[in-house]
Amino acid sequence: MSLGKPIWQATRKFLQSILSEDNPELRDSKELRTKAFVPQKQAKLHLPVNIGHYSDFYASKEHASNCGIMFRGKDNALMPNWLHLPVGYHGRASSIVVSGTDIARPSGQRSPGKGQPPVFGPSVKLDYELEMAFFVGTGNKLGERIPIQQTRDHIFGMVVMNDWSARDIQAWEYVPLGPFLSKSFGTTISPWVVTLDALEPFLVDGPTQDPTPFPYLQEKGKTAYNINLEAKMKPCDASTYKTLTRSNLKYMYWSISQQLAHHTVNGCNMGTGDLCGTGTISGPGDDAKGSLLEITYNGRDEIDFGNGIKRLFVEDGDEIVMTGYCQGEGYKVGFGECCCKIVPTTYRE
Amino acid sequence: MSLGKPIWQATRKFLQSILSEDNPELRDSKELRTKAFVPQKQAKLHLPVNIGHYSDFYASKEHASNCGIMFRGKDNALMPNWLHLPVGYHGRASSIVVSGTDIARPSGQRSPGKGQPPVFGPSVKLDYELEMAFFVGTGNKLGERIPIQQTRDHIFGMVVMNDWSARDIQAWEYVPLGPFLSKSFGTTISPWVVTLDALEPFLVDGPTQDPTPFPYLQEKGKTAYNINLEAKMKPCDASTYKTLTRSNLKYMYWSISQQLAHHTVNGCNMGTGDLCGTGTISGPGDDAKGSLLEITYNGRDEIDFGNGIKRLFVEDGDEIVMTGYCQGEGYKVGFGECCCKIVPTTYRE
Ligand SMILES: [Ca+2]
Ligand SMILES: [Ca+2]
Ligand SMILES: [Mg+2]
Ligand SMILES: [Mg+2]
Ligand code: NI
């Protein structure tokens, strides 16, 4: 990854050629095929890279608006800065795990109500956030920046991400310095990285940005990726999954190029393996809400899974599966599954 | 560092023995001495470890109160959560540099006034934060925690830290997810790590904590370290330093043990080389304010350096030097200098 885009492209080309049905080299050699392939069912997938540092953005206008309306009312839904910059924050890289890894419910402090003293215990508002994230392939030196025209040469590729969030812990802890323990107990990513080159056929126009961003955030041409996203849930006592979110990365207001240009405009150095989350990708319409916070209106409206099974948030044993794919003509580009089961808290006095 | 406390202690004991004036082994062998020592002036100091992840707390009640009064008035100075938990946030580890490294002024967005559109340019409110920070020596697995009684076995040692902060960028960007680019352009630490064993003689009683913290934050015995801290500044056009802050780590409300116990109570995994900042260490009294934000009341009151030189914030070419030491009977334990010069922004359109 640190070798840079020309090497990424050459490697991709070689793989495409060697795996092509027109190329007999692998196709006709059982010996080589046995050496090169592992049956999918036997493959154990690991984190694709040693993740350096991790930041998370908040770049979906629908998500920011849904949350803002809930907590501050319709007139103050978007903070004054939101339309001027891609809001982001530093996250915890150590607790990012690959799809299929169980995550334990976090314990922590929460407020039972305004003015009341906090209580301590396992989170009672455990939520998912349907996101994508991009890996930085090659970075920049401290004090320098990555101009927006060059960002796509630095971004290696993307994954689907579930930014697990404990809403009760978050609501209590986050003033004034942002989310901390409400996010750092585990974050799930899909197991392989789809390179930007593979995504290029799916570039589409991004949303209109008004007001016009500062020059360092201005980009030309197509800026958004048409990637279908889905989140489904299987409660522990249910036998099937129910799709809760159908969204698309193309709805995102601030592009990944804008995110990287912004992240480095102050001279912050990015490195190979750094990960940047997009923030929850909600879209227009009720079925495109990217978190239970939005879907249940912060625990007000139950989701009915049938057979008497209902949920406001994620309970122990529940599973969330996220998927993403691009629809080409006669083919799909997929991201693998981003799945995770929540297990009981491990906290003991 | 990853080998654990028994090895840290054995190594310290060996170094103390071999460097003792009673031990002839090094003392009487010019050859060995030449091999073992580098003249201080020729030594180039590097970052002491490969820093993994970085979090910063906000654990000084005086600092939180000074800031709170400025921005929210006396009655709402401390947020409702502040007395219940050590507030912290994830920081950017990549931009932490060793003392003596110049840092470029960050460029970014700031608001010229409420309701007005933001402007872009080099920060005009560049500030220092006098902090200390501790390195995690051995960590914990994801989903587990470090109980407060065990924290001092996991903490390797401490450094002095200047958490450079661009107040104008911070004020505009930080809602609702916390500081981001206002902090990630550079953070300076002193060059060597003083182990907790070396600091043990300087343990003193911590401040009274009211309300009583949750059990996971309760500790017995002496919990604070008596470490004298100082920040001085040399404006680019001045010839001498002026001390701006005289404080002490013992003033800090939430101890480093409480910080580490809190950080892991949700199951967040810490690793060897992770760094945790204490937050700005202000103390009682006007000369113990740990940042220019507090000293100048957010740019209202100028600091007079004589010869017509005045400052509200840090200008290009200005230098900040921070020091810390413990005063023993007839000896001092020092942390080396944490110094840094601010150079002009490197941002070009
Ligand atoms: Ca998120
Ligand atoms: Ca700080
Ligand atoms: Mg997370
Ligand atoms: Mg900093
Ligand atoms: Ni990191």
Side-chain angles (χ1 to χ4, degrees), chain A residues 52-53 81 84 89-90 92 94 109 118 120 143 145 172 175 181 184 214 216 262 266 269 274 346-348, chain B residues 52-53 81 84 90 92 94 109 118 120 143 145 172 175 177 181 184 214 216 262 266 269 274 346-348:
Chain A
H53 308 295
N81 57 15
H84 297 279
Y89 64 103
H90 302 295
R92 180 83 194 170
S94 68
Q109 296 188 25
F120 180 87
R145 68 188 176 108
W172 174 242
V175 281
L181 304 189
S184 64
F214 282 106
Y216 81 90
H262 182 65
N266 68 339
N269 51 333
D274 286 354
T346 58
Y347 184 90
R348 302 287 171 273
Chain B
H53 308 295
N81 57 16
H84 297 278
H90 301 296
R92 180 82 194 171
S94 68
Q109 296 188 26
F120 179 87
R145 67 188 177 108
W172 174 242
V175 280
L177 298 175
L181 304 188
S184 64
F214 281 106
Y216 81 90
H262 183 65
N266 68 339
N269 51 332
D274 286 353
T346 58
Y347 184 90
R348 301 287 171 272

Side-chain angles (χ1 to χ4, degrees), chain B residues 163-164 183-184 186-187:
Chain B
D163 179 23
W164 290 100
K183 302 269 191 180
S184 64
T187 307

Side-chain angles (χ1 to χ4, degrees), chain A residues 20-323:
Chain A
S20 152
E21 60 180 334
D22 303 330
N23 186 332
E25 198 171 341
L26 251 183
R27 188 192 64 196
D28 297 345
S29 161
K30 192 170 179 183
E31 199 193 328
L32 268 184
R33 287 207 318 273
T34 309
K35 275 191 186 170
F37 295 120
V38 175
Q40 206 168 1
K41 287 210 169 158
Q42 285 168 33
K44 180 167 165 43
L45 295 163
H46 299 273
L47 275 182
V49 301
N50 189 350
I51 298 173
H53 308 295
Y54 161 55
S55 302
D56 196 21
F57 286 89
Y58 186 56
S60 153
K61 193 173 174 184
E62 285 84 359
H63 173 66
S65 301
N66 290 343
C67 297
I69 290 169
M70 220 177 305
F71 295 121
R72 289 180 300 275
K74 210 157 186 172
D75 294 335
N76 301 300
L78 289 184
M79 292 286 192
N81 57 15
W82 202 92
L83 290 170
H84 297 279
L85 52 77
V87 170
Y89 64 103
H90 302 295
R92 180 83 194 170
S94 68
S95 48
I96 299 174
V97 296
V98 72
S99 176
T101 311
D102 292 346
I103 289 178
R105 177 177 302 273
S107 286
Q109 296 188 25
R110 63 178 188 270
S111 169
K114 217 179 166 180
Q116 289 177 259
V119 297
F120 180 87
S123 168
V124 296
K125 284 191 174 181
L126 189 50
D127 197 1
Y128 69 80
E129 291 193 332
L130 173 59
E131 304 198 12
M132 293 197 71
F134 64 85
F135 276 105
V136 174
T138 54
N140 61 305
K141 285 187 192 151
L142 183 62
E144 298 182 0
R145 68 188 176 108
I146 301 176
I148 191 151
Q149 300 78 10
Q150 293 168 27
T151 48
R152 279 191 220 155
D153 297 336
H154 288 265
I155 297 173
F156 181 76
M158 299 195 76
V159 291
V160 176
M161 183 171 94
N162 183 349
D163 180 22
W164 291 100
S165 301
R167 299 300 178 192
D168 45 352
I169 297 174
Q170 186 176 357
W172 174 242
E173 75 172 359
Y174 91 108
V175 281
L177 299 175
F180 188 45
L181 304 189
S182 54
K183 301 269 191 180
S184 64
F185 59 92
T187 306
T188 312
I189 63 170
S190 58
W192 61 77
V193 188
V194 179
T195 62
L196 277 208
D197 278 322
L199 296 176
E200 205 170 288
F202 308 101
L203 271 168
V204 293
D205 288 331
T208 306
Q209 297 191 316
D210 180 24
T212 303
F214 282 106
Y216 81 90
L217 293 172
Q218 288 172 16
E219 48 182 346
K220 296 203 177 84
K222 296 178 175 175
T223 60
Y225 291 94
N226 185 354
I227 305 177
N228 298 285
L229 297 170
E230 192 180 299
K232 56 187 183 180
M233 178 167 172
K234 188 171 84 61
C236 60
D237 40 2
S239 52
T240 55
Y241 286 89
K242 179 186 171 107
T243 297
L244 301 181
T245 310
R246 278 182 222 277
S247 191
N248 193 303
L249 187 65
K250 73 182 178 190
Y251 298 139
M252 184 164 69
Y253 189 85
W254 294 104
S255 75
I256 59 170
S257 289
Q258 289 177 319
Q259 290 169 26
L260 184 57
H262 182 65
H263 203 321
T264 62
V265 76
N266 68 339
C268 178
N269 51 333
M270 307 294 289
T272 301
D274 286 354
L275 187 70
C276 291
T278 57
T280 309
I281 303 298
S282 297
D286 270 355
D287 66 339
K289 292 175 172 172
S291 65
L292 294 173
L293 176 74
E294 295 160 83
I295 295 170
T296 70
Y297 206 90
N298 194 18
R300 187 190 66 187
D301 308 328
E302 276 181 335
I303 302 170
D304 195 339
F305 289 84
N307 294 321
I309 302 168
K310 294 174 188 212
R311 286 292 185 273
L312 290 171
F313 288 100
V314 179
E315 295 186 8
D316 291 347
D318 292 355
E319 287 174 55
I320 299 284
V321 175
M322 296 177 176
T323 48

Side-chain angles (χ1 to χ4, degrees), chain B residues 66-284:
Chain B
N66 290 342
C67 297
I69 290 169
M70 218 177 305
F71 294 122
R72 289 180 300 275
K74 212 159 184 170
D75 294 335
N76 302 299
L78 288 184
M79 292 287 192
N81 57 16
W82 202 92
L83 291 169
H84 297 278
L85 52 78
V87 170
Y89 63 103
H90 301 296
R92 180 82 194 171
S94 68
S95 48
I96 300 174
V97 296
V98 73
S99 176
T101 310
D102 293 346
I103 290 177
R105 176 177 303 273
S107 286
Q109 296 188 26
R110 63 178 187 271
S111 169
K114 218 180 164 177
Q116 289 178 260
V119 297
F120 179 87
S123 169
V124 296
K125 284 191 174 181
L126 190 50
D127 197 1
Y128 70 80
E129 291 193 330
L130 173 58
E131 304 197 14
M132 294 197 70
F134 65 84
F135 276 105
V136 174
T138 54
N140 61 305
K141 286 188 191 148
L142 183 62
E144 298 182 358
R145 67 188 177 108
I146 301 176
I148 191 149
Q149 300 79 9
Q150 294 168 26
T151 49
R152 281 191 217 153
D153 298 335
H154 288 266
I155 297 173
F156 182 76
M158 298 194 78
V159 292
V160 176
M161 184 170 95
N162 183 349
D163 179 23
W164 290 100
S165 301
R167 299 301 179 194
D168 45 352
I169 297 174
Q170 186 176 355
W172 174 242
E173 75 172 359
Y174 92 107
V175 280
L177 298 175
F180 188 45
L181 304 188
S182 53
K183 302 269 191 180
S184 64
F185 59 92
T187 307
T188 313
I189 62 170
S190 59
W192 62 76
V193 188
V194 179
T195 62
L196 278 208
D197 278 321
L199 296 176
E200 205 170 288
F202 308 100
L203 271 168
V204 293
D205 289 332
T208 306
Q209 296 191 315
D210 179 24
T212 303
F214 281 106
Y216 81 90
L217 293 171
Q218 287 173 17
E219 47 182 344
K220 296 203 176 83
K222 296 176 175 176
T223 61
Y225 291 94
N226 185 353
I227 305 177
N228 299 284
L229 297 170
E230 194 180 297
K232 57 187 183 180
M233 178 167 172
K234 188 171 84 61
C236 60
D237 41 0
S239 52
T240 54
Y241 286 90
K242 179 187 172 107
T243 297
L244 301 181
T245 311
R246 278 181 222 278
S247 191
N248 193 303
L249 187 65
K250 72 181 177 190
Y251 298 139
M252 185 165 68
Y253 188 85
W254 293 104
S255 75
I256 59 170
S257 289
Q258 289 176 320
Q259 290 169 25
L260 184 56
H262 183 65
H263 204 319
T264 62
V265 76
N266 68 339
C268 178
N269 51 332
M270 308 293 290
T272 300
D274 286 353
L275 187 70
C276 290
T278 57
T280 309
I281 303 297
S282 297

